[in-house]
């Protein structure tokens, strides 16, 4: 309950107001109202400036969240300033508010971290919607297409059709490999040929096949080399560059195309083979010490000398 006193203020109003047992100057109340109104007006102006000027290059969701952050931040500052000029003893309120702020801060630290990381992702632009990316490092690898980047999380469509949601802080702290960063991408595969084949001739056959393919780029030049001498074949690595938009289709086509070219030239592509040696029929030796009846040999109990010798026959 408020009770007016007889003293006057500098504005000609009553100087003191007894507000819930506390003497508060009337001009302090007027200044408090002015500060609050000015704070709301400034917050509204800053939000408009942020969304229309600073965040004009950001996605709609990020621009809206950035404007809200500035808006409520300025209002909070204005309310604290208004309480400061009101003349009220708010030490108890500030103490309780400080404790509550610490509790809320611990509870929302991940939320704030994701919000800030989302803003940094929009400014840094390591990826955009529609980009195929590979995210490695902090979490198990995530390979897919970017579907959406919101204020708190990013969503990806995996190459198997499933969807994955990741917090922005985890995405920002991970290694992001963006496969759409360049206009061309390298196709890599290896093929094994028999040891009897001439590797120089094999490389020429594959290179000519690549050069006749329209979508294989002339620059950089395709690179072919012997990479490994395997157990049953000589491994030849094939590297060539194709436009990014057709990379996956061209990789499937080139592997099949090279296989047909080598078959047409009679070049052998071996496969691992194993030779199994099976034991032949068992040969029984007669025990020493005299003849033994067939019945005892079959049972193996008369003399205890039932011996079998195995030989390998190829």
């Amino acid at each position: 309950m408020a009770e007016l006193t007889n003293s006057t203020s500098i504005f000609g109003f009553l100087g003191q107001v007894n507000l819930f047992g506390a003497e508060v100057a009337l001009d302090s109340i007027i200044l408090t109202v002015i500060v609050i109104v000015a704070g709301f007006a400034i917050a509204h102006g800053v939000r408009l400036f942020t969304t229309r000027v600073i965040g004009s290059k950001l996605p709609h969701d990020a621009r809206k969240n950035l404007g809200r952050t500035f808006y409520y931040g300025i209002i909070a500052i204005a309310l604290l300033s208004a309480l400061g000029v009101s003349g009220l003893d708010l030490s108890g309120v500030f103490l309780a508010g400080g404790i509550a702020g610490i509790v809320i801060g611990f509870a929302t630290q991940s939320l704030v971290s994701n919000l800030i990381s989302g803003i940094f992702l929009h400014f840094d632009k390591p990826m955009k919607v529609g980009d195929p990316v590979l995210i490695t490092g902090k979490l198990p690898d995530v390979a897919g297409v970017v579907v959406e980047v919101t204020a708190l999380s990013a969503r990806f469509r995996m190459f198997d059709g499933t969807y994955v949601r990741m917090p922005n802080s985890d995405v920002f702290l991970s290694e992001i490999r963006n496969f759409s960063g360049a206009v061309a991408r390298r196709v890599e595969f290896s093929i094994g040929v028999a040891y009897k084949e001439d590797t120089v001739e094999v490389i020429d056959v594959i290179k000519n096949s690549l050069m006749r393919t329209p979508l294989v780029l002339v620059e950089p030049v395709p690179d072919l080399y012997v990479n490994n001498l395997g157990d049953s074949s000589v491994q030849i690595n094939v590297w060539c560059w194709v436009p990014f938009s057709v990379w996956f289709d061209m990789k499937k086509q080139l592997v099949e195309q090279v296989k047909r070219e080598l078959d047409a030239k009679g070049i052998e592509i071996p496969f691992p083979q194993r030779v199994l040696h099976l034991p032949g029929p068992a040969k029984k030796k007669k025990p020493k010490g005299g003849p033994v009846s067939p019945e005892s040999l079959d049972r193996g109990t008369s003399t205890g000398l039932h011996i079998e010798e195995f030989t390998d026959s190829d």
Side-chain angles (χ1 to χ4, degrees), residues 286-301:
K286 293 183 179 180
K288 296 180 180 180
V292 181
S293 64
E295 291 80 3
S296 63
L297 286 177
D298 292 338
R299 294 192 303 271
T301 56

Side-chain angles (χ1 to χ4, degrees), residues 4-245:
L4 300 178
T5 61
N6 294 328
S7 59
T8 59
S9 66
I10 58 175
F11 299 105
F13 299 104
L14 293 175
Q16 300 289 329
V17 176
N18 191 329
L19 185 62
F20 298 103
E23 296 291 335
V24 181
L26 188 58
D27 52 359
S28 298
I29 297 177
I30 297 175
L31 288 176
T32 301
V33 175
I34 293 174
V35 169
I36 294 176
V37 173
F40 274 91
I42 294 174
H44 182 70
V46 171
R47 181 172 63 176
L48 291 179
F49 179 77
T50 302
T51 54
R52 296 181 181 181
V53 179
I54 298 178
S56 59
K57 297 182 179 180
L58 296 177
H60 178 71
D61 291 338
R63 183 166 62 247
K64 184 188 301 183
N65 291 324
L66 184 63
R68 288 177 178 176
T69 301
F70 281 104
Y71 180 78
Y72 291 114
I74 293 175
I75 288 178
I77 295 174
L79 292 176
L80 292 176
S81 301
L83 291 175
V85 300
S86 64
L88 295 175
D89 184 10
L90 302 174
S91 57
V93 176
F94 283 127
L95 178 60
I99 297 175
I102 294 175
V103 174
I104 295 174
F106 277 110
T108 61
Q109 59 179 345
S110 60
L111 183 67
V112 175
S113 176
N114 289 327
L115 179 62
I116 296 176
S117 298
I119 295 174
F120 287 161
L121 284 174
H122 286 300
F123 279 109
D124 192 37
K125 296 181 179 179
M127 60 185 183
K128 63 181 182 298
V129 175
D131 288 349
V133 297
L134 172 64
I135 300 178
T136 60
K138 189 174 180 62
L139 293 173
D141 294 353
V142 173
V145 179
V146 181
V147 175
E148 184 183 18
V149 180
T150 64
L152 300 177
S153 63
R155 293 174 176 84
F156 305 90
R157 185 180 70 252
M158 306 290 282
F159 293 125
D160 60 358
T162 58
Y163 286 80
V164 174
R165 174 188 174 276
M166 295 180 62
N168 283 336
S169 58
D170 291 340
V171 177
F172 185 73
L173 296 176
S174 299
E175 175 186 341
I176 302 176
R177 178 179 295 184
N178 194 326
F179 295 109
S180 65
V183 295
R185 186 178 172 187
R186 189 171 67 189
V187 173
E188 302 177 10
F189 62 93
S190 61
I191 189 168
V193 297
Y195 273 90
K196 65 183 181 65
E197 304 293 347
D198 185 359
T199 55
V200 177
E201 178 185 357
V202 174
I203 290 176
D204 289 339
V205 170
I206 299 176
K207 183 175 293 186
N208 292 334
S209 176
L210 296 177
M211 298 303 293
R212 292 195 302 269
T213 305
L215 291 178
V216 174
L217 302 183
V218 178
E219 181 65 34
V221 180
D223 189 12
L224 294 85
Y225 60 95
V226 176
N227 180 57
N228 186 32
L229 302 177
D231 294 337
S232 57
S233 64
V234 178
Q235 296 293 322
I236 298 177
N237 276 10
V238 181
W239 290 359
C240 62
W241 292 81
V242 299
F244 171 79
S245 59

